[in-house]
Every structure is written in C-alpha cells, then in structure tokens.
Coordinates of all heavy atoms in Angstrom, one line a residue:
M1395 N 15.6 6.1 4.5 CA 14.5 6.0 5.5 C 14.6 4.7 6.3 O 14.9 3.7 5.7 CB 13.2 6.2 4.8 CG 12.0 6.1 5.8 SD 10.4 6.0 4.9 CE 10.3 7.6 4.1
K1396 N 14.3 4.8 7.6 CA 14.2 3.6 8.4 C 12.8 3.5 8.9 O 12.1 4.5 9.2 CB 15.2 3.7 9.6 CG 16.7 3.7 9.2 CD 17.6 3.7 10.4 CE 19.0 3.5 10.0 NZ 19.6 4.8 9.4
I1397 N 12.3 2.3 9.0 CA 10.9 2.0 9.4 C 10.9 1.1 10.6 O 11.7 0.1 10.7 CB 10.2 1.3 8.2 CG1 10.3 2.1 6.9 CG2 8.7 1.1 8.6 CD1 9.8 1.4 5.7
Q1398 N 10.0 1.4 11.5 CA 9.8 0.6 12.7 C 8.3 0.2 12.8 O 7.5 1.1 12.6 CB 10.2 1.3 14.0 CG 11.7 1.3 14.2 CD 12.0 2.0 15.6 OE1 11.1 2.4 16.3 NE2 13.3 2.1 15.9
V1399 N 8.0 -1.0 13.0 CA 6.6 -1.4 13.3 C 6.6 -2.0 14.8 O 7.4 -2.9 15.1 CB 6.1 -2.5 12.4 CG1 4.7 -2.9 12.8 CG2 6.1 -1.9 10.9
D1400 N 5.7 -1.4 15.6 CA 5.6 -1.9 16.9 C 4.5 -3.0 16.9 O 3.3 -2.7 16.8 CB 5.1 -0.8 17.9 CG 5.1 -1.2 19.3 OD1 4.9 -2.4 19.6 OD2 5.2 -0.4 20.2
Q1401 N 4.9 -4.2 16.9 CA 4.0 -5.3 16.8 C 3.1 -5.5 18.0 O 2.1 -6.2 17.9 CB 4.8 -6.6 16.4 CG 5.4 -6.5 15.0 CD 5.9 -7.9 14.6 OE1 6.3 -8.7 15.3 NE2 6.0 -8.0 13.2
E1402 N 3.5 -4.9 19.1 CA 2.6 -5.0 20.3 C 1.4 -4.1 20.0 O 0.3 -4.4 20.5 CB 3.4 -4.4 21.5 CG 4.6 -5.2 21.9 CD 4.2 -6.6 22.5 OE1 3.2 -6.6 23.3 OE2 4.8 -7.6 22.1
L1403 N 1.6 -3.0 19.3 CA 0.5 -2.1 19.1 C -0.4 -2.6 17.9 O -1.6 -2.3 17.8 CB 1.0 -0.7 18.7 CG 1.6 0.2 19.9 CD1 2.1 1.5 19.4 CD2 0.5 0.4 20.9
C1404 N 0.3 -3.2 16.9 CA -0.4 -3.5 15.7 C -1.6 -4.4 15.9 O -1.5 -5.4 16.7 CB 0.6 -4.3 14.7 SG -0.1 -4.9 13.2
I1405 N -2.7 -4.1 15.3 CA -3.9 -4.8 15.4 C -4.3 -5.6 14.1 O -5.4 -6.1 13.9 CB -5.1 -3.9 15.8 CG1 -5.3 -2.8 14.8 CG2 -4.9 -3.4 17.2 CD1 -6.6 -2.0 15.0
G1406 N -3.3 -5.5 13.1 CA -3.5 -6.3 11.9 C -4.6 -5.7 11.0 O -5.2 -6.4 10.1
A1407 N -4.8 -4.4 11.1 CA -5.8 -3.7 10.2 C -5.4 -3.8 8.7 O -6.3 -3.7 7.9 CB -6.0 -2.3 10.7
A1408 N -4.1 -3.9 8.5 CA -3.6 -4.1 7.1 C -3.7 -2.9 6.2 O -3.5 -3.1 5.0 CB -4.2 -5.4 6.5
S1409 N -4.0 -1.8 6.7 CA -4.1 -0.6 5.8 C -2.7 -0.3 5.3 O -2.5 0.2 4.2 CB -4.7 0.6 6.5 OG -4.1 0.9 7.7
C1410 N -1.7 -0.5 6.1 CA -0.3 -0.3 5.7 C 0.0 -1.2 4.5 O 0.7 -0.8 3.5 CB 0.7 -0.4 6.8 SG 0.7 -2.1 7.6
V1411 N -0.4 -2.4 4.6 CA -0.1 -3.4 3.5 C -0.9 -3.0 2.2 O -0.3 -3.1 1.1 CB -0.5 -4.8 4.0 CG1 -0.3 -5.8 2.9 CG2 0.2 -5.2 5.2
A1412 N -2.1 -2.5 2.4 CA -2.9 -2.1 1.2 C -2.3 -1.0 0.5 O -2.3 -0.9 -0.7 CB -4.3 -1.8 1.7
I1413 N -1.7 -0.1 1.2 CA -1.1 1.2 0.6 C 0.3 0.9 0.1 O 0.7 1.3 -1.0 CB -1.1 2.3 1.6 CG1 -2.6 2.7 1.9 CG2 -0.3 3.5 1.1 CD1 -2.8 3.7 3.0
A1414 N 1.1 0.2 0.9 CA 2.5 0.0 0.5 C 2.9 -1.5 0.6 O 3.6 -1.9 1.5 CB 3.4 0.9 1.4
A1415 N 2.4 -2.2 -0.4 CA 2.5 -3.7 -0.3 C 3.9 -4.2 -0.6 O 4.2 -5.3 -0.3 CB 1.5 -4.3 -1.4
K1416 N 4.8 -3.3 -1.1 CA 6.2 -3.7 -1.3 C 7.0 -3.5 -0.1 O 8.2 -3.9 0.0 CB 6.8 -3.0 -2.5 CG 6.1 -3.3 -3.8 CD 6.6 -2.3 -4.9 CE 5.9 -2.5 -6.2 NZ 6.1 -1.4 -7.1
T1417 N 6.4 -2.9 0.9 CA 7.2 -2.5 2.1 C 6.7 -3.3 3.4 O 7.5 -3.7 4.2 CB 7.0 -1.0 2.4 OG1 7.5 -0.3 1.3 CG2 7.9 -0.6 3.6
F1418 N 5.3 -3.4 3.5 CA 4.8 -4.1 4.7 C 4.1 -5.4 4.3 O 3.4 -5.5 3.2 CB 3.7 -3.1 5.3 CG 4.3 -1.8 5.7 CD1 4.2 -0.7 4.9 CD2 4.9 -1.7 7.0 CE1 4.7 0.5 5.3 CE2 5.4 -0.5 7.4 CZ 5.3 0.6 6.6
G1419 N 4.2 -6.3 5.2 CA 3.5 -7.6 5.1 C 2.8 -7.9 6.4 O 3.1 -7.3 7.4
L1420 N 2.0 -8.9 6.4 CA 1.4 -9.4 7.6 C 2.0 -10.8 7.9 O 2.0 -11.7 7.0 CB -0.1 -9.5 7.6 CG -0.9 -8.2 7.7 CD1 -2.4 -8.6 7.8 CD2 -0.5 -7.4 8.9
N1421 N 2.4 -11.1 9.1 CA 2.9 -12.4 9.4 C 1.8 -13.3 9.8 O 0.6 -12.9 9.8 CB 4.0 -12.3 10.5 CG 3.5 -11.8 11.9 OD1 2.3 -11.9 12.1 ND2 4.4 -11.4 12.7
T1422 N 2.1 -14.5 10.2 CA 1.1 -15.5 10.4 C 0.3 -15.2 11.7 O -0.8 -15.7 11.9 CB 1.7 -16.9 10.6 OG1 2.7 -16.8 11.6 CG2 2.3 -17.4 9.3
E1423 N 0.8 -14.3 12.5 CA 0.0 -13.8 13.7 C -0.8 -12.6 13.4 O -1.4 -12.0 14.3 CB 1.0 -13.6 14.8 CG 1.7 -14.8 15.3 CD 2.8 -14.5 16.3 OE1 3.2 -13.3 16.4 OE2 3.2 -15.4 17.0
G1424 N -0.8 -12.2 12.1 CA -1.6 -11.0 11.7 C -1.0 -9.7 12.2 O -1.6 -8.7 12.3
K1425 N 0.3 -9.7 12.4 CA 1.1 -8.5 12.7 C 1.9 -8.0 11.6 O 2.5 -8.9 10.8 CB 2.0 -8.8 13.9 CG 1.3 -9.3 15.2 CD 0.5 -8.3 15.9 CE 0.0 -8.8 17.2 NZ -0.7 -7.7 17.9
A1426 N 2.0 -6.7 11.4 CA 2.7 -6.2 10.3 C 4.2 -6.3 10.5 O 4.7 -6.2 11.6 CB 2.4 -4.7 10.1
Y1427 N 5.0 -6.5 9.4 CA 6.4 -6.5 9.5 C 7.0 -5.9 8.2 O 6.2 -5.7 7.2 CB 7.0 -7.9 9.7 CG 6.8 -8.8 8.5 CD1 7.8 -9.1 7.6 CD2 5.5 -9.5 8.3 CE1 7.6 -9.9 6.5 CE2 5.4 -10.3 7.2 CZ 6.4 -10.5 6.3 OH 6.2 -11.3 5.2
I1428 N 8.2 -5.5 8.2 CA 8.9 -4.9 7.1 C 9.4 -6.0 6.1 O 10.1 -6.8 6.5 CB 10.1 -4.0 7.6 CG1 9.7 -3.1 8.7 CG2 10.6 -3.2 6.4 CD1 8.6 -2.2 8.5
L1429 N 8.9 -5.9 4.9 CA 9.3 -6.9 3.9 C 10.8 -6.8 3.6 O 11.4 -7.8 3.4 CB 8.5 -6.7 2.6 CG 7.0 -7.1 2.8 CD1 6.3 -6.8 1.4 CD2 6.8 -8.5 3.1
E1430 N 11.3 -5.6 3.5 CA 12.7 -5.4 3.2 C 13.4 -4.7 4.3 O 13.1 -3.6 4.6 CB 12.8 -4.6 1.9 CG 14.3 -4.3 1.5 CD 15.2 -5.5 1.5 OE1 14.9 -6.4 0.6 OE2 16.0 -5.6 2.4
E1431 N 14.3 -5.5 5.0 CA 14.9 -4.9 6.2 C 15.8 -3.7 5.9 O 15.8 -2.7 6.6 CB 15.8 -6.0 6.8 CG 15.1 -7.2 7.4 CD 14.4 -6.9 8.7 OE1 14.8 -5.9 9.3 OE2 13.6 -7.7 9.1
N1432 N 16.4 -3.8 4.7 CA 17.4 -2.8 4.4 C 16.8 -1.7 3.4 O 17.3 -1.6 2.3 CB 18.7 -3.4 3.9 CG 19.9 -2.4 3.9 OD1 19.7 -1.3 4.3 ND2 21.0 -2.9 3.7
V1433 N 15.8 -1.1 3.8 CA 15.1 -0.1 3.0 C 16.1 1.0 2.6 O 16.1 1.5 1.5 CB 13.9 0.5 3.7 CG1 13.3 1.7 2.9 CG2 12.9 -0.6 3.9
E1434 N 17.0 1.4 3.5 CA 17.9 2.5 3.3 C 18.8 2.2 2.0 O 18.9 3.0 1.1 CB 18.8 2.6 4.5 CG 19.7 3.8 4.5 CD 20.5 3.8 5.8 OE1 20.3 3.0 6.6 OE2 21.3 4.7 5.9
A1435 N 19.3 1.0 1.9 CA 20.2 0.7 0.8 C 19.4 0.6 -0.5 O 19.8 1.1 -1.5 CB 20.9 -0.6 1.1
I1436 N 18.3 -0.1 -0.4 CA 17.4 -0.2 -1.6 C 17.0 1.1 -2.2 O 17.0 1.3 -3.4 CB 16.2 -1.1 -1.3 CG1 16.7 -2.5 -0.9 CG2 15.3 -1.2 -2.5 CD1 17.2 -3.4 -1.9
S1437 N 16.5 2.0 -1.3 CA 16.0 3.3 -1.7 C 17.1 4.1 -2.4 O 16.8 4.9 -3.3 CB 15.4 4.1 -0.6 OG 16.4 4.4 0.4
A1438 N 18.3 3.9 -2.1 CA 19.4 4.6 -2.7 C 19.5 4.2 -4.2 O 19.9 4.9 -5.0 CB 20.7 4.3 -2.0
I1439 N 19.1 2.9 -4.5 CA 19.2 2.4 -5.8 C 17.9 2.9 -6.6 O 17.9 2.8 -7.8 CB 19.3 0.9 -5.8 CG1 20.5 0.4 -5.0 CG2 19.3 0.3 -7.2 CD1 20.6 -1.0 -4.7
Q1440 N 16.9 3.3 -5.9 CA 15.7 3.7 -6.6 C 15.1 2.5 -7.3 O 14.6 2.7 -8.5 CB 15.9 4.9 -7.5 CG 16.2 6.2 -6.7 CD 15.0 6.7 -6.0 OE1 13.9 6.8 -6.5 NE2 15.2 7.1 -4.7
S1441 N 15.1 1.4 -6.7 CA 14.5 0.2 -7.4 C 13.0 0.3 -7.5 O 12.3 0.8 -6.7 CB 14.9 -1.0 -6.6 OG 14.1 -2.1 -7.0
D1442 N 12.5 -0.2 -8.7 CA 11.1 -0.2 -8.8 C 10.4 -1.3 -8.0 O 9.2 -1.4 -8.0 CB 10.7 -0.3 -10.3 CG 11.2 -1.5 -10.9 OD1 11.7 -2.4 -10.2 OD2 11.0 -1.7 -12.2
K1443 N 11.2 -2.0 -7.3 CA 10.7 -3.0 -6.4 C 10.3 -2.4 -5.1 O 9.7 -3.0 -4.2 CB 11.7 -4.1 -6.1 CG 12.0 -5.0 -7.3 CD 13.0 -6.1 -7.0 CE 13.3 -6.9 -8.3 NZ 14.6 -7.5 -8.2
M1444 N 10.6 -1.1 -4.9 CA 10.3 -0.4 -3.6 C 9.1 0.5 -3.8 O 8.9 1.1 -4.8 CB 11.5 0.4 -3.2 CG 12.7 -0.4 -2.8 SD 12.3 -1.5 -1.4 CE 11.9 -0.3 -0.1
D1445 N 8.4 0.7 -2.7 CA 7.4 1.8 -2.6 C 8.1 3.1 -2.5 O 9.3 3.2 -2.0 CB 6.5 1.6 -1.4 CG 5.7 0.4 -1.5 OD1 5.0 0.2 -2.6 OD2 5.6 -0.4 -0.6
T1446 N 7.5 4.2 -3.0 CA 8.1 5.5 -2.9 C 8.0 5.9 -1.4 O 7.2 5.4 -0.6 CB 7.3 6.5 -3.7 OG1 6.0 6.6 -3.2 CG2 7.3 6.1 -5.2
R1447 N 8.8 6.9 -1.1 CA 8.8 7.5 0.2 C 7.4 8.0 0.5 O 7.0 7.8 1.7 CB 9.8 8.7 0.2 CG 9.9 9.5 1.4 CD 10.8 10.7 1.2 NE 10.7 11.7 2.3 CZ 11.5 11.6 3.4 NH1 12.5 10.7 3.4 NH2 11.3 12.5 4.4
E1448 N 6.8 8.7 -0.4 CA 5.5 9.2 -0.2 C 4.4 8.1 0.2 O 3.6 8.3 1.1 CB 5.0 10.0 -1.4 CG 5.7 11.3 -1.7 CD 7.1 11.1 -2.1 OE1 7.4 10.1 -2.7 OE2 7.9 12.1 -1.9
L1449 N 4.5 7.0 -0.5 CA 3.6 5.9 -0.2 C 3.9 5.3 1.2 O 2.9 5.0 1.9 CB 3.8 4.8 -1.2 CG 2.8 4.7 -2.4 CD1 3.0 3.4 -3.2 CD2 1.4 4.8 -1.9
I1450 N 5.1 5.2 1.6 CA 5.5 4.7 2.9 C 4.9 5.6 4.0 O 4.4 5.2 5.0 CB 7.0 4.4 3.0 CG1 7.4 3.3 2.0 CG2 7.3 4.1 4.4 CD1 8.9 3.1 1.9
I1451 N 5.1 6.9 3.7 CA 4.6 7.9 4.7 C 3.0 7.8 4.8 O 2.5 7.8 5.9 CB 5.0 9.3 4.3 CG1 6.5 9.4 4.6 CG2 4.3 10.4 5.1 CD1 7.2 10.7 4.1
E1452 N 2.4 7.7 3.6 CA 0.9 7.6 3.6 C 0.5 6.3 4.3 O -0.5 6.3 5.1 CB 0.5 7.5 2.2 CG -1.0 7.6 2.0 CD -1.5 7.5 0.5 OE1 -0.7 7.8 -0.4 OE2 -2.6 7.0 0.3
A1453 N 1.2 5.2 4.1 CA 0.9 4.0 4.8 C 1.0 4.1 6.3 O 0.2 3.7 7.1 CB 1.8 2.8 4.3
A1454 N 2.1 4.8 6.8 CA 2.3 5.0 8.2 C 1.2 5.8 8.8 O 0.7 5.6 9.9 CB 3.7 5.6 8.5
R1455 N 0.8 6.8 8.1 CA -0.3 7.7 8.5 C -1.6 7.0 8.6 O -2.5 7.4 9.4 CB -0.4 8.9 7.6 CG 0.7 10.0 7.8 CD 0.4 11.2 6.9 NE 1.4 12.2 7.2 CZ 1.9 13.0 6.3 NH1 1.5 13.0 5.0 NH2 2.8 13.9 6.6
S1456 N -1.8 6.0 7.8 CA -3.1 5.3 7.7 C -3.2 4.3 8.9 O -4.3 3.8 9.1 CB -3.1 4.4 6.4 OG -2.4 3.3 6.5
C1457 N -2.2 4.0 9.6 CA -2.3 3.0 10.7 C -3.2 3.6 11.8 O -2.9 4.6 12.4 CB -0.9 2.7 11.3 SG -1.0 1.5 12.6
P1458 N -4.2 2.9 12.2 CA -5.2 3.4 13.2 C -4.6 3.4 14.6 O -5.2 4.1 15.4 CB -6.4 2.4 13.0 CG -5.8 1.1 12.5 CD -4.7 1.6 11.6
V1459 N -3.6 2.7 14.8 CA -3.0 2.7 16.2 C -1.6 3.3 16.2 O -0.9 3.1 17.2 CB -3.0 1.2 16.7 CG1 -4.4 0.7 17.0 CG2 -2.3 0.3 15.8
A1460 N -1.2 3.9 15.2 CA 0.1 4.6 15.1 C 1.3 3.7 15.5 O 2.1 4.0 16.3 CB 0.1 5.8 16.0
A1461 N 1.2 2.4 14.9 CA 2.2 1.5 15.2 C 3.5 1.6 14.4 O 4.5 1.0 14.6 CB 1.7 0.1 15.0
I1462 N 3.4 2.5 13.3 CA 4.5 2.6 12.4 C 5.2 3.9 12.7 O 4.6 5.0 12.8 CB 4.0 2.6 11.0 CG1 3.3 1.3 10.7 CG2 5.2 2.8 10.0 CD1 2.6 1.3 9.3
R1463 N 6.5 3.9 12.8 CA 7.4 5.1 13.0 C 8.4 5.1 11.9 O 9.0 4.1 11.5 CB 8.1 5.1 14.4 CG 7.1 5.2 15.5 CD 7.7 5.0 16.9 NE 8.6 6.2 17.2 CZ 9.4 6.2 18.2 NH1 9.6 5.2 19.0 NH2 10.1 7.3 18.4
L1464 N 8.6 6.3 11.4 CA 9.6 6.5 10.3 C 10.7 7.4 10.7 O 10.5 8.4 11.4 CB 8.9 7.1 9.1 CG 7.7 6.3 8.5 CD1 7.0 7.0 7.4 CD2 8.0 4.9 8.1
F1465 N 11.9 7.1 10.2 CA 13.1 8.0 10.6 C 13.9 8.3 9.3 O 14.0 7.4 8.4 CB 14.0 7.2 11.5 CG 13.3 6.8 12.8 CD1 12.5 5.7 12.9 CD2 13.3 7.7 13.9 CE1 11.9 5.3 14.1 CE2 12.7 7.3 15.1 CZ 11.9 6.2 15.2
E1466 N 14.4 9.5 9.3 CA 15.3 9.8 8.2 C 16.6 9.0 8.4 O 16.8 8.5 9.5 CB 15.7 11.3 8.3 CG 14.5 12.3 8.1 CD 13.9 12.3 6.7 OE1 14.4 11.6 5.9 OE2 13.0 13.1 6.5
D1467 N 17.4 8.9 7.4 CA 18.7 8.2 7.5 C 19.6 8.8 8.6 O 20.4 8.1 9.2 CB 19.5 8.2 6.2 CG 18.7 7.5 5.1 OD1 17.8 6.6 5.4 OD2 19.0 7.7 3.9
T1468 N 19.3 10.1 8.9 CA 20.1 10.7 10.0 C 19.7 10.3 11.3 O 20.3 10.6 12.3 CB 19.9 12.3 9.9 OG1 18.5 12.6 10.0 CG2 20.4 12.8 8.6
G1469 N 18.5 9.6 11.4 CA 18.0 9.2 12.7 C 16.9 10.1 13.2 O 16.2 9.7 14.2
E1470 N 16.6 11.2 12.5 CA 15.6 12.1 12.9 C 14.2 11.5 12.6 O 14.0 11.0 11.5 CB 15.7 13.4 12.2 CG 14.7 14.5 12.6 CD 14.9 15.8 11.7 OE1 15.9 15.8 11.0 OE2 14.0 16.6 11.8
E1471 N 13.3 11.5 13.6 CA 12.0 10.9 13.3 C 11.2 11.8 12.4 O 11.2 13.1 12.5 CB 11.2 10.7 14.6 CG 9.9 10.0 14.4 CD 9.3 9.4 15.7 OE1 9.9 9.6 16.8 OE2 8.3 8.6 15.5
I1472 N 10.5 11.2 11.5 CA 9.6 11.9 10.5 C 8.3 12.0 11.2 O 7.6 11.0 11.6 CB 9.4 11.1 9.2 CG1 10.8 11.0 8.5 CG2 8.4 11.8 8.3 CD1 10.8 10.0 7.3
I1473 N 7.8 13.3 11.4 CA 6.5 13.5 12.1 C 5.4 13.2 11.1 O 5.3 13.8 10.0 CB 6.4 15.0 12.5 CG1 7.7 15.4 13.4 CG2 5.1 15.2 13.3 CD1 7.8 14.5 14.7
L1474 N 4.5 12.3 11.6 CA 3.4 11.9 10.7 C 2.2 12.7 10.9 O 2.0 13.3 11.9 CB 3.1 10.4 10.9 CG 4.3 9.5 10.7 CD1 4.0 8.1 11.1 CD2 4.7 9.5 9.2
Ligands
LIG127 S1 -1.9 -0.3 9.6 FE1 -1.0 -0.4 11.7 S2 -2.4 -1.9 12.7 FE2 -2.7 -2.2 10.5 S3 -1.3 -3.9 10.0 FE3 -0.3 -1.9 9.6 S4 0.9 -1.5 11.4 FE4 -0.6 -3.0 11.9

C-alpha cells in the first residue's frame, strides 16, 4: 500500500494519528506526515511495528478534510 497526505489540505485534526499512530505523525507545523516512507516494503514483512491495512484505511476515512489518499501496490487508488 502507498499512502499520500496532502499537507495543504491537512488541518491537523490528528484523528489519523489517533487511529494509526505507527503510520501517521504530526510535524512541528501541525501537519500530518507518514512516519515510515517505505510502507510497501515493511508491510511485506508483516512487522508488528506497522499498523494493519484495516487501521490505515480507517485512519484515512477519519480525516475530516480527505487529505489522505491510499493506493494499492499496483497504483490503483483505494476508494475510501
Ligand atoms: S486526520 Fe486529516 S486533517 Fe487530521 S491530521 Fe490527519 S491528515 Fe491532517
């Protein structure tokens, strides 16, 4: 899975961080960013350091301004 956060849209509501704290963080400007750039490689290992796919989808759905977009490894966008 690939994750994008549009920091122009992000209002720092932090619901993504609350739901998937191993994936999303807030920077010093209060904008969300991806904690692990290479989610694709990590998820293949199924590390317990990663949030599950379901949690990441739930976090993206929770964003009040739809700033998070998710994509399959194939590049196809996951409809939230
Ligand atoms: S839920 Fe949306 S608005 Fe809130 S911090 Fe995450 S990306 Fe930003």
Side-chain angles (χ1 to χ4, degrees):
M1395 180 191 288
K1396 295 183 174 75
I1397 305 170
Q1398 285 182 358
V1399 175
D1400 186 335
Q1401 294 191 334
E1402 297 290 317
L1403 287 176
C1404 176
I1405 57 170
S1409 52
C1410 60
V1411 180
I1413 293 172
K1416 295 172 186 165
T1417 304
F1418 299 98
L1420 283 189
N1421 65 19
T1422 54
E1423 296 173 344
K1425 303 286 188 179
Y1427 68 100
I1428 311 301
L1429 291 176
E1430 175 52 66
E1431 296 281 344
N1432 198 351
V1433 171
E1434 188 177 357
I1436 297 287
S1437 65
I1439 301 167
Q1440 291 289 314
S1441 166
D1442 61 4
K1443 292 182 183 152
M1444 291 299 300
D1445 293 310
T1446 63
R1447 173 188 172 93
E1448 288 71 26
L1449 262 188
I1450 294 170
I1451 290 174
E1452 188 182 336
R1455 284 184 175 146
S1456 78
C1457 179
V1459 292
I1462 302 171
R1463 295 173 71 190
L1464 304 177
F1465 300 86
E1466 302 288 4
D1467 294 341
T1468 59
E1470 182 184 353
E1471 185 162 7
I1472 298 169
I1473 305 302
L1474 299 173

